[in-house]
Structure formats: structure tokens, C-alpha cells
Amino acid sequence: MKDLDDTKAPLLDHLIELRGRLLKCVIALVLGFALCFYFSDTLFAILVHPLKDAFGPAGGKLVYTKLYEAFFVQVKVALFGSFFLSFPIIANQLWAFVAPGLYAKEKRALLPFLLATPVLFIAGASLAYFVVMPTAFHFFLQYQGTSSGLQVEALPSADAYLGLVMQFILAFGICFLLPVLLMLLNHAGLVTRAQLVGLRRYMIVVAFVVAAVLTPPDVVSQLMLAVPLVLLYELALIAMWFTDRKRGADEQALALSEKS
């Protein structure tokens, strides 16, 4: 019990602390929203850049079909940016609330997962923004032209485009957290590496089903999410192999020390 923090606050004190930390999270979100709303035009210009490149030199345009649509697009952009901007503060407040109830060994074990979460999310979001979205938009826009004597032109609405971008970024960012989830389940003893190896063939099917649900209905986008999901699954299995070896070596060393 020495590894635990010496603070033993009653339930009411915990609830008061939780309220204070939630209030700080809300304040961070509100301040982040105000800042992002002020720069919403710049943020939207960044989000619209892949579509602008896909249209090419000929150029294209975004339209809005409702009078209030442009305003709510700014609001959504600000909320989207505020989530990313305030996430470090929210994560820090969550950790500060949970950490006193953990043993020192548990804190050391959880720290790599906490550090890996934003890294993997940013990696997935970057893949979506820099690779998947430009490829998908080029694919979608190739259907512009003339059909049966009629001009076919892409006129995406600002709200629909923003929804598509958010879908791409969140889908890839969250799915890239798969290794963290699997490692946590393994660390908690809920699943073993042998069980996950046995489920490999089913995981491949699940990866393509998830990709079909979370991405637009084109094969290119689905493959670009399903293939990394399978690779991340294999990466988690490799990481578990190393951690299992280390855990076995530690247990063996502890057993030898107890015998001696």
C-alpha cells in the first residue's frame, strides 16, 4: 500500500474534485471554441485544401443551400478545432483525477499508452488528410464531364464537405488507436496474444467491415483504412510478444530471488 498516494479523501471530496476538473475541461473547450471560431475561416481553408488540389487549375467551388448553413459550418469547424486544441488539457485533468488511485507500478505501465494515444491519433488523421482524402477526391471528381449531352459538374455543399472531412479524420484517427486498445486489454488480462493470433482471420474481415461503415462507399477509401487496420493489429501482436517475454523474464527473476 506504500505505492499508493497518501491521499484518502472521502467520496464527497472526490466528487468536488471531479466537478472542479470537469469545470476546467469545459472552460478549456469554451476558450478553444472562441479561439477557433475567430480563426474559423483559416481552419476551413486548411480543411478544404485537399478538395482545392483535387479540382486542379480549372478550380471548383463550394455552395451552401440553406441561408444559415455557412454560419453553422463555422460553428462546426470551431467545435472540431476546439476538441483538438483542448484535448491535452482534458487528458491531463483525467489523469490527475485517476492517478492518485493507482499504484506506482500501474502508473509506469499506463504511461506508454497515454503517450502513444495522441501520437497514433495524429498519425491516422495525417494519413487521412495527406493521402486518403486527396486520393478519394480525385476519384470522386473524375466523374465530372459530359454525359448524354449534359454537363456533369460537382457542386458539393460546404456542410456536406465538412461532414465528409470530419468523418475521414475521426475514422482514421480513432481506428489507429487499435494497438493501444489491444495492449490495454492484454495488460488487464482480458485477452492473450495466443487468442488474438487465433482471431487473426476474423480480424481481417472485421477490418474491412469497419472500413466499409466508416468511410465513403468507394473501394479506394475502404482499402486505405482496412489495410492499415490489419497492419496495426499485427503491430500490436508484435508488441505483445516483446511485453510477454519481458514479463516472463521478470517473473523468472523474481522467482529466483525468492528461492535464494
Side-chain angles (χ1 to χ4, degrees), residues 204-219:
I204 296 174
V205 176
V206 171
F208 279 89
V209 171
V210 170
V213 172
L214 296 181
T215 60
D218 66 286
V219 178

Side-chain angles (χ1 to χ4, degrees), residues 98-175:
V98 174
L102 300 176
Y103 290 99
K105 184 178 180 181
E106 292 172 334
K107 293 179 184 178
R108 290 194 296 269
L110 285 175
L111 185 59
F113 300 112
L114 294 175
L115 296 177
T117 296
V119 173
L120 289 173
F121 186 91
I122 291 173
S126 299
L127 176 65
Y129 181 83
F130 292 106
V131 179
V132 180
M133 284 164 51
T135 304
F137 295 160
H138 277 99
F139 174 78
F140 295 148
L141 292 176
Q142 72 179 355
Y143 292 98
Q144 290 189 115
T146 304
S147 177
S148 302
L150 297 175
Q151 185 69 23
V152 179
E153 183 180 3
L155 293 174
S157 72
D159 186 58
Y161 174 76
L162 179 62
L164 184 62
V165 169
M166 292 169 63
Q167 178 182 345
F168 268 121
I169 292 176
L170 291 176
F172 276 79
I174 293 173
C175 286

